[in-house]
Amino acid sequence: MASFDHTRTLILLIVLTIFLSPTSSAVSPPSSVCQYTQYPSFCRSNLPINNSSANVHDYGRFSVRKSISAANKFSNLINKYLSRSSSLTTGAIRALEDCQYLAGVNIDFLTSTFQTVDKSQTAISTMKSEDIQTMLSAILTNTQTCIDGIQAIASTWSSKNGVLAPLTNDNKLYSVSLSLFNRGWGKNKKKNTSGLHKKHVGFKNGSLPLKMSERSKAIFETVGRRKLLQTDDEGDQVVVSDIVVVSQDGSGNFTTISDAINFAPNKSQAADGYFMIYVTAGVYEEYVNIPKNKYYLMMIGDGINQTIITGDRNVVDGWTTFNSATFIVTAPNFVAVNITIRNTAGAVKHQAVALRNGADLSAFYSCSFEGYQDTLYTHSLRQFYRECDIYGTVDFIFGNAAVVFQNCNLYPRLPMANQFNAITAQGRTDPGQNTGTSIQNCNIRAAEDLGTTKTYLGRPWKEYSRTVYIKTFMDSLIDGSGWREWSGDFALNTSYYAEFDNTGPGSDTSRRVTWPGFHVINATDAVNFTTSSFILGDEFLPQTGVPYNGGL
């Protein structure tokens, strides 16, 4: 975590200045501020401010500062545990390494949040407000991911409570920060009330910057002629700064995808255009990780089942769910096209992720994700999937991103004996999070091997789980009840599950569950979960070249 050291030092100096100031005359926050949070008593006791006229912005800033201090303290705690790794099991080390990484991301996000709220009372754009709410939502998700990982190895690690106890308080503090931000700086999202917006963009050869080499231009034009991304008459363009080719026969620039990623520039800007990695047909047995500093990277293959990336890490063999993925991406503004990503561990190995996506403003177009339990981990931040195929069994689309699946094919397949299938397991833990899974204009059909396995639309992994199906074809494999409990009555009152204008024999809602959290909604409600409204797709998708419908 050395990359965070300089930032942490600066932030700690700020925090120390704040917390070493005299507090003898501190007053509790007025209940009118803390009442908007999930933890009002915690809020009142943990946010003392020496100003009886303090408003929600003052408390919001103070809460974010205190959150930075807590995140740094927790990161140092994890580092201390890992420094004694010789006494830890492999499972404990891997879980702690996940926590170490996630704590670093949280420090980054909190630092960015503070830079915004420290300069602003109320003047903040809709997109900036959405950015901050997204980061604060992801901080809670990251913390919960750490908790889940530690709990999974709890029986083999005696010191687990030394990590779980501080995380519980940290989670409350992060929740308070999110609530106060939403109250003080939050904006209503842009609403596409007509539901008619439609946008298609694509490659045009003329969009290439002159600095691109002649060889790369030729490759780009070859790829373009294969119509990997459709072009329409509106003249929209995808800007590409350069291209490298990955080919296993040695005819390209690299023989492995990882080498090409390492070569890509760091922290490119939108104006620079995408750095494109063209991966030719072949089966690539490698674990791909696109780190957070590889902004604006575009990866294009030769097609589903032509360019294949495959691995078999899984929980049974000692990996955490978080790090079992064949393909991991955390770099913002990532785009992938025409690629198959697999985890071949099989149903018997339980959790085994094909793709883990924690990349903000990322898009996958014409890709396939193949696995069994936990195939596609839409972990956090804002994501979009178009015309993708997704195969799996138990909870095979799970996580806590704000994500839209559009015109995709979902294929439940045969699980282990005595298991049922749940297509989604959405992980929203706080009502202030802007997260959820929206499945629009998709098709749900049985994979060839499914048989008579009971299959459900989803189940509530976390307390405020949120999933919506819109205009989706549901074949007869979907059980009439539609949705399945997680455990007893957990989250049946607090989750939000909704269906709108779906078709097919599995879409009949007359026998659906009667939970308070289940709804059959109208167009006015459904439009809130469209690409333009739910993930503000109009702000980032046009530059990607990925086609999308903004409304219903």
Side-chain angles (χ1 to χ4, degrees), residues 152 246 287 328 466 533:
V246 178
Y287 294 95
I328 296 169
R466 181 161 66 172
S533 296

Side-chain angles (χ1 to χ4, degrees), residues 111-419:
T111 302
S112 181
T113 296
F114 182 73
Q115 289 169 349
T116 296
V117 300
D118 191 43
K119 297 174 184 174
S120 168
Q121 282 290 99
T122 57
I124 183 172
S125 69
T126 298
M127 194 61 186
K128 177 56 72 174
S129 172
E130 181 75 4
D131 288 345
I132 299 300
Q133 188 188 13
T134 296
M135 286 191 287
L136 291 173
S137 296
I139 287 164
L140 283 167
T141 302
N142 291 342
T143 307
Q144 187 62 51
T145 301
C146 175
I147 291 172
D148 291 345
I150 297 297
Q151 288 178 334
I153 52 96
S155 61
T156 63
W157 192 42
S158 59
S159 300
K160 61 184 182 298
N161 289 332
V163 173
L164 294 177
L167 272 184
T168 301
N169 276 339
D170 290 354
N171 240 356
K172 290 180 180 178
L173 183 58
Y174 301 152
S175 174
V176 167
S177 294
L178 175 60
S179 296
L180 294 177
F181 175 82
N182 288 345
R183 185 72 184 176
W185 290 271
K187 292 280 182 73
N188 290 324
K189 295 183 182 181
K190 297 176 183 176
K191 294 292 190 290
N192 176 29
T193 53
S194 70
L196 297 176
H197 175 81
K198 192 171 185 178
K199 184 80 172 172
H200 291 284
V201 294
F203 285 140
K204 284 191 182 294
N205 293 337
S207 67
L208 302 179
L210 294 176
K211 65 181 179 180
M212 179 178 281
S213 68
E214 289 302 317
R215 182 173 182 275
S216 291
K217 283 184 183 180
I219 293 168
F220 183 91
E221 290 168 6
T222 299
V223 172
R225 278 200 297 273
R226 293 180 184 181
K227 296 184 178 178
L228 297 179
L229 300 177
Q230 298 298 315
T231 301
D232 68 4
D233 296 329
E234 296 180 16
D236 296 294
Q237 300 175 346
V238 175
V239 179
V240 176
S241 61
D242 210 345
I243 295 178
V244 295
V245 178
V246 178
S247 183
Q248 291 176 320
D249 64 7
S251 61
N253 305 96
F254 302 98
T255 57
T256 70
I257 298 168
S258 297
D259 284 345
I261 292 167
N262 291 335
F263 179 78
N266 295 331
K267 297 187 176 180
S268 297
Q269 299 302 307
D272 300 330
Y274 288 97
F275 182 85
M276 182 188 288
I277 298 176
Y278 172 38
V279 185
T280 61
V283 179
Y284 295 81
E285 296 181 4
E286 59 177 300
Y287 294 95
V288 175
N289 190 342
I290 301 175
K292 63 183 182 179
N293 61 340
K294 300 293 182 179
Y295 304 172
Y296 290 97
L297 194 151
M298 180 178 286
M299 186 177 294
I300 294 183
D302 270 329
I304 291 175
N305 292 330
Q306 297 299 310
T307 298
I308 300 167
I309 305 169
T310 184
D312 64 358
R313 289 176 178 168
N314 59 84
V315 167
V316 171
D317 289 344
W319 297 92
T320 62
T321 301
F322 188 71
N323 260 327
S324 67
T326 300
F327 193 112
I328 296 169
V329 56
T330 55
N333 298 96
F334 174 77
V335 181
V337 186
N338 280 11
I339 293 171
T340 290
I341 301 171
R342 290 178 180 160
N343 190 312
T344 60
V348 71
K349 296 291 189 175
H350 297 281
Q351 296 95 331
V353 176
L355 169 70
R356 187 189 93 215
N357 186 357
D360 199 22
L361 310 176
S362 56
F364 286 78
Y365 175 44
S366 188
C367 290
S368 180
F369 310 99
E370 301 175 11
Y372 288 84
Q373 183 171 347
D374 291 2
T375 301
L376 178 51
Y377 196 172
T378 56
H379 181 261
S380 54
L381 305 168
R382 292 164 290 191
Q383 309 177 16
F384 180 73
Y385 298 78
R386 170 86 177 199
E387 295 171 34
C388 292
D389 298 338
I390 308 161
Y391 296 81
T393 58
V394 182
D395 308 333
F396 68 91
I397 299 173
F398 76 113
N400 194 25
V403 55
V404 176
F405 293 89
Q406 196 172 86
N407 296 34
C408 294
N409 298 306
L410 314 182
Y411 294 112
R413 63 199 305 186
L414 182 67
M416 294 173 64
N418 302 316
Q419 284 186 327

Side-chain angles (χ1 to χ4, degrees), residues 408-412 423-424 437-446 450 455-458 467-483 497-510 512 518-520:
C408 294
N409 298 306
L410 314 182
Y411 294 112
I423 295 172
T424 65
T437 299
S438 176
I439 296 175
Q440 179 189 17
N441 281 335
C442 293
N443 294 293
I444 304 172
R445 292 187 169 91
L450 177 67
T455 299
Y456 301 89
L457 298 173
T467 301
V468 178
Y469 285 85
I470 298 170
K471 291 181 176 290
T472 286
F473 174 83
M474 303 176 180
D475 214 341
S476 56
L477 73 159
I478 298 300
D479 188 83
S481 61
W483 306 83
Y497 289 147
E499 299 181 47
F500 170 72
D501 201 20
N502 298 304
T503 59
S507 68
D508 179 5
T509 58
S510 63
R512 288 295 195 251
F518 172 72
H519 310 271
V520 177

